[in-house]
Amino acid sequence: MSELFDVIWLNASPILTRFDKPLLQYLSKCMKVAQWEYHQTKDEASSIDLAVELLYEFLEEYPHSLHLAGHGMGGAIALTFARRYPKKVRSLTLLAVAAQPANNWHAHYYVQRQLFSISREQVLAHSVRSLFGKQPPHTTKKLMAVLDKDLEQSPSPHSLFRLVNLPKSGVSMPMMVCGSKSDPVVNSLALQDWQNWFKPEDRLWECPKGHHFFHYYYPQQVGEQIISFWQHHHAQALTTSALTSSAST
């Protein structure tokens, strides 16, 4: 890798990348941020494990541990990676990820399809209202198409035939969990459940509003919180590294 970076942001669905951009632009003013995207083809089975292993291949030769972050399914991949390869991760930042990481908007979509005799389009329209708030009709149609595409592209383990749970636990490195008080998918109760695995250095923060994609609507407010968290642990890691080097000389 010719250029080093401090932070890697994970995205599990190319169609949702647009909602990350405002926050990433803000974060990039203070830290060196790289984006890593997982592109799943139509012939591939949905697999978080495959995404995790591809990320490890990408970072295997990287010389330093990194701040790892992601929203939704990207966050779930980041969480799985951090548990599996803790030495690669300096800190973990999760946005809209429940303590049960599989409880994402896909799970809510499939539950509605199973319980109610309504069409795919009706559930998608309801999902737009849940994830983005009330929108004009033309915007709703565009967002329905985005969510429809995300169902195809994301490595979510859920389907009409089966809903899957993922392991619930914490991580060894410092962790920050961010959510929105107006998000009905990853609500305050789902966020507070993280407290069962928190360490003293871990942090939970909720945006007052913004629904599921709160980082898109309030990039500066979210970014300030994340940068404060990163800078604290980035400085600690650099100090520890310097002390280790001095001791070995």
Side-chain angles (χ1 to χ4, degrees), residues 20-197:
D20 298 335
K21 286 182 178 180
L23 176 61
L24 294 181
Q25 288 172 354
Y26 184 84
L27 296 175
S28 296
K29 296 177 182 179
C30 299
M31 304 283 276
K32 294 178 182 177
V33 181
Q35 292 178 257
W36 186 86
E37 295 184 7
Y38 175 69
H39 291 244
Q40 177 177 282
T41 66
K42 290 184 177 180
D43 294 330
E44 282 183 44
S46 293
S47 172
I48 289 179
D49 288 335
L50 176 59
V52 168
E53 293 310 311
L54 288 173
L55 178 59
Y56 178 75
E57 289 179 14
F58 175 68
L59 294 177
E60 188 172 9
E61 302 301 324
Y62 197 78
H64 309 299
S65 60
L66 293 158
H67 302 289
L68 201 60
H71 174 274
M73 184 53 64
I77 293 172
L79 175 64
T80 305
F81 182 90
R83 290 170 176 168
R84 198 169 297 175
Y85 302 108
K87 291 183 179 179
K88 290 287 184 182
V89 184
R90 185 175 303 166
S91 76
L92 178 66
T93 304
L94 306 177
L95 285 73
V97 178
Q100 170 45 260
N103 283 350
N104 56 17
W105 88 263
H106 291 194
H108 285 243
Y109 167 84
Y110 287 118
V111 166
Q112 291 178 78
R113 292 291 307 275
Q114 291 173 350
L115 294 180
F116 306 111
S117 299
I118 54 179
S119 67
R120 180 183 181 95
E121 289 72 22
Q122 288 173 307
V123 178
L124 286 172
H126 181 266
S127 297
V128 168
R129 290 192 295 272
S130 296
L131 301 178
F132 298 95
K134 188 175 181 181
Q135 301 290 331
H138 67 282
T139 305
T140 297
K141 288 184 179 180
K142 290 180 180 179
L143 291 173
M144 286 172 62
V146 168
L147 296 183
D148 192 34
K149 194 71 174 178
D150 181 50
L151 287 170
E152 295 180 4
Q153 294 180 339
S154 174
S156 173
H158 305 303
S159 70
L160 275 173
F161 307 102
R162 186 180 65 152
L163 295 177
V164 177
N165 283 329
L166 295 172
K168 294 176 68 175
S169 67
V171 293
S172 58
M173 68 289 302
M175 176 170 66
M176 181 176 190
V177 177
C178 302
S180 167
K181 292 182 179 179
S182 61
D183 183 0
V185 175
V186 184
N187 56 30
S188 293
L189 188 62
L191 292 172
Q192 291 296 330
D193 193 22
W194 275 113
Q195 301 279 6
N196 293 314
W197 293 278

